[in-house]
């Protein structure tokens, strides 16, 4: 089974020079840069390669620029490597890149659409009263409560992105966001302001969202070649739900951590980040260590991905490390079973099997079969049950 997914970054991943290696080395990159520029009457290549960072960061410029580089990365990947994904997912703006690469939206239409989207979002906050900040080391519930406490109709603060269990983004009026940050700091949280020019995924851009809905109606959306995970639901789009979700997309939060957990539950073991700056690869490492991320934002990224033997070794090492950790944690976990005789009868054979498996893993480099992996996890579950672990502790070990 193909256990590969493609990820597409959103705004904030831009940098001057992005896409230049692809343009130097591949005709498809030259063609797509030209096509994007013609679609919106803007020299996208010049903006990406030689532009001022402040100019590139403007929402109306960053969105078509990032989309262009991401689609180029996908096209180069398919030309040079060609292994197809099971799923696609894009972070905010990146969802439009995913739609293009899955064939649901034409590249020309997408560039035009996100340019319009960027203008509307930027105009929704003409005095730049809004801001966004990433907050770490604080639970989602606590952050949501803080936002609800300080928000008013004129000075809103919303959780805009759930990026990982301990990293979320807040968005809204600068005064409200600053109040939330002060409260978060008192709880031991850290924060970083984002390099964006509008308060995305907040109520401050509701007017832009309403105007964008009429723009969406002018474009045709086709069936996607592969399932695309929606930011709005953290589940794949259903056949006729793309337009409806895109209407909600600008003001609803990005449920990224949930989206990655969904991929994990579907058996995804590798993801390739198509686009600039490797932001999503870094986020993924904070969500799970059960999926291996690979960047694909420049020509030099081709070799590691085309070396299938090295990739397989990397996956084998990862799975062995994870399984070894699971075994150790299940064995050393506290025993809550007060019936020592029953506990001994249940676990003596299990501990022997676990030890034999660990020794085999240490002796051999080859990957365990799926049946052996399932059996190994089953042994750990049986040990947890024999110890009568509380549900929360068993979940922590087996997660």
């Amino acid at each position: 089974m193909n256990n590969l997914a493609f990820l597409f970054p959103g705004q904030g991943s831009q940098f001057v020079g992005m896409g230049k290696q692809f343009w130097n080395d591949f005709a498809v990159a030259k063609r797509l840069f030209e096509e994007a520029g013609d679609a919106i009457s803007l020299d996208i290549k010049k903006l990406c390669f030689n532009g001022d960072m402040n100019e590139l960061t403007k929402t109306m410029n960053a969105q078509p620029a990032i989309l262009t580089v991401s689609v180029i990365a996908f096209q180069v990947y398919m030309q040079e490597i060609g292994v197809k994904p099971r799923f696609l997912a894009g972070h905010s703006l990146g969802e439009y890149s995913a739609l293009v690469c899955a064939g649901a939206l034409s590249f020309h239409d997408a560039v035009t659409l996100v340019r319009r989207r960027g203008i509307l979002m930027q105009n929704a906050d003409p005095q730049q009263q809004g801001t966004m900040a990433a907050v770490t080391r604080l639970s989602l519930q606590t952050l949501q409560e803080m936002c609800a406490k300080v928000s008013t109709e004129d000075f809103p603060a919303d959780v805009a992105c759930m990026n990982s269990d301990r990293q979320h983004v807040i968005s809204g009026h600068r005064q409200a966001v600053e109040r939330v940050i002060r409260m978060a700091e008192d709880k031991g949280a850290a924060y970083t302001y984002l390099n964006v020019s509008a308060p995305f995924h907040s109520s401050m851009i509701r007017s832009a969202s309403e105007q964008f809905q009429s723009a969406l109606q002018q474009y045709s959306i086709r069936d996607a070649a592969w399932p695309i995970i929606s930011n709005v639901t953290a589940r794949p789009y259903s056949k006729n739900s793309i337009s409806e979700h895109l209407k909600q997309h600008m003001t609803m939060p990005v449920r990224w951590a949930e989206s990655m957990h969904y991929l994990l539950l579907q058996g995804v073991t590798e993801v390739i980040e198509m686009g600039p700056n490797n932001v999503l690869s870094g986020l993924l490492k904070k969500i799970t260590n059960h999926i291996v991320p690979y960047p694909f934002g420049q020509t030099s990224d081709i070799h590691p991905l085309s070396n299938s033997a090295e990739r397989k070794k990397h996956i084998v090492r990862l799975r062995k490390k994870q399984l070894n950790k699971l075994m150790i944690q299940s064995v050393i976990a506290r025993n809550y079973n007060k019936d020592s005789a029953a506990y001994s009868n249940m676990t003596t054979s299990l501990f022997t099997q676990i030890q034999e498996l660990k020794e085999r893993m240490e002796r051999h480099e080859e990957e365990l079969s799926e049946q052996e992996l399932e059996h190994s996890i089953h042994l750990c579950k049986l040990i947890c049950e024999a110890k009568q672990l509380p549900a929360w502790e068993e979940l922590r070990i087996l997660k």
Side-chain angles (χ1 to χ4, degrees):
M1 180 184 289
N2 181 349
N3 295 322
L4 177 66
F6 294 165
L7 307 183
F8 298 88
Q11 197 165 341
S13 61
Q14 70 274 3
F15 66 92
V16 175
M18 63 182 187
K20 191 168 186 178
Q21 279 194 14
F22 287 144
W23 187 88
N24 288 337
D25 298 329
F26 296 99
V28 66
K30 293 180 174 66
R31 177 176 61 79
L32 288 174
F33 267 119
E34 184 175 346
E35 185 177 340
D38 290 345
I40 58 175
S41 301
L42 178 71
D43 192 338
I44 295 286
K45 178 175 75 72
K46 181 180 179 181
L47 180 69
C48 288
F49 298 174
N50 309 113
D52 176 76
M53 187 59 182
N54 290 330
E55 193 67 21
L56 179 59
T57 298
K58 289 180 180 178
T59 306
M60 63 182 183
N61 295 333
Q63 296 203 14
I66 294 167
L67 181 138
T68 299
V69 174
S70 296
V71 174
I72 286 171
F74 169 82
Q75 293 286 358
V76 170
Y77 170 90
M78 296 305 292
Q79 176 182 302
E80 298 298 308
I81 299 174
V83 178
K84 296 178 180 178
R86 276 185 67 203
F87 297 96
L88 279 68
H91 192 287
S92 191
L93 163 73
E95 201 159 296
Y96 288 84
S97 304
L99 287 165
V100 174
C101 296
L105 192 62
S106 76
F107 177 65
H108 180 280
D109 286 353
V111 172
T112 307
L113 196 55
V114 301
R115 171 71 166 182
R116 177 63 177 157
R117 181 178 184 263
I119 291 171
L120 289 172
M121 293 171 81
Q122 196 161 302
N123 290 345
D125 184 25
Q127 297 177 326
Q128 294 192 327
Q129 294 178 313
T131 190
M132 299 180 74
V135 180
T136 57
R137 302 200 298 264
L138 202 65
S139 71
L140 175 60
Q141 181 178 348
T142 300
L143 193 58
Q144 287 174 326
E145 290 171 354
M146 290 177 178
C147 288
K149 186 174 182 178
V150 307
S151 282
T152 65
E153 186 174 347
D154 294 329
F155 300 93
D158 305 297
V159 176
C161 306
M162 295 85 154
N163 284 336
S164 71
D165 291 343
R166 287 290 184 175
Q167 201 249 62
H168 313 289
V169 174
I170 56 175
S171 179
H173 196 284
R174 189 175 300 275
Q175 290 184 27
V177 169
E178 288 174 351
R179 286 187 62 194
V180 172
I181 284 174
R182 288 195 294 270
M183 294 168 66
E185 281 188 295
D186 290 341
K187 295 281 188 179
Y191 69 93
T192 304
Y193 282 102
L194 301 189
N195 190 20
V196 294
S197 60
F200 311 142
H201 302 284
S202 78
S203 56
M204 283 187 70
I205 57 169
R206 186 173 291 117
S207 62
S209 177
E210 292 168 354
Q211 294 175 66
F212 187 64
Q213 290 179 28
S214 60
L216 270 172
Q217 295 172 4
Q218 302 171 25
Y219 298 89
S220 60
I221 297 177
R222 301 175 291 274
D223 291 340
W226 306 290
I228 302 171
I229 310 301
S230 166
N231 287 180
V232 174
T233 63
R235 293 292 183 272
Y237 286 122
S238 61
K239 184 175 178 63
N240 299 313
S241 66
I242 295 179
S243 293
E244 186 57 36
H245 285 180
L246 291 181
K247 290 175 184 176
Q248 304 173 46
H249 195 253
M250 287 169 66
T251 55
M252 295 288 286
V254 176
R255 296 165 63 177
W256 190 250
E258 289 179 73
S259 298
M260 296 304 97
H261 286 141
Y262 178 83
L263 294 181
L264 183 62
L265 290 172
Q266 300 307 308
V268 169
T269 56
E270 296 179 287
V271 299
I272 300 173
E273 182 175 359
M274 301 286 183
N277 233 356
N278 311 336
V279 173
L280 300 181
S281 297
L283 275 183
L284 186 64
K285 293 174 183 177
K286 297 176 181 178
I287 297 169
T288 177
N289 58 6
H290 293 272
I291 300 177
V292 180
Y294 297 94
F296 198 80
Q298 54 191 358
T299 304
S300 56
D301 293 328
I302 293 174
H303 177 70
L305 283 171
S306 60
N307 190 335
S308 57
E310 186 58 36
R311 282 174 64 187
K312 184 176 180 181
K313 286 182 181 178
H314 189 80
I315 292 291
V316 170
R317 288 193 295 267
L318 177 70
R319 297 180 82 170
K320 286 177 65 175
K321 181 180 178 181
Q322 293 164 350
L323 187 55
N324 187 59
K325 182 178 179 181
L326 173 61
M327 292 174 180
I328 292 172
Q329 289 188 338
S330 62
V331 169
I332 67 173
R334 177 182 171 183
N335 177 24
Y336 291 85
N337 192 338
K338 296 181 180 180
D339 189 337
S340 56
Y343 170 74
S344 180
N345 289 336
M346 285 187 286
T347 57
T348 299
S349 173
L350 297 176
F351 287 142
T352 300
Q353 292 181 67
I354 287 283
Q355 185 59 36
E356 290 174 351
L357 186 59
K358 276 179 59 58
E359 291 173 357
R360 184 189 155 197
M361 288 170 58
E362 291 167 0
R363 288 196 306 267
H364 302 286
E365 284 295 323
E366 73 269 13
E367 186 175 9
L368 298 175
S369 69
E370 291 298 326
Q371 291 80 5
E372 289 172 316
L373 284 167
E374 288 297 325
H375 179 63
S376 304
I377 296 170
H378 182 62
L379 291 176
C380 295
K381 287 181 177 179
L382 291 176
I383 291 174
C384 290
E385 291 173 5
K387 291 184 174 185
Q388 298 181 1
L389 293 179
W392 65 267
E393 188 169 355
E394 183 175 348
L395 180 63
R396 178 187 61 80
I397 291 173
L398 297 175
K399 184 179 178 182

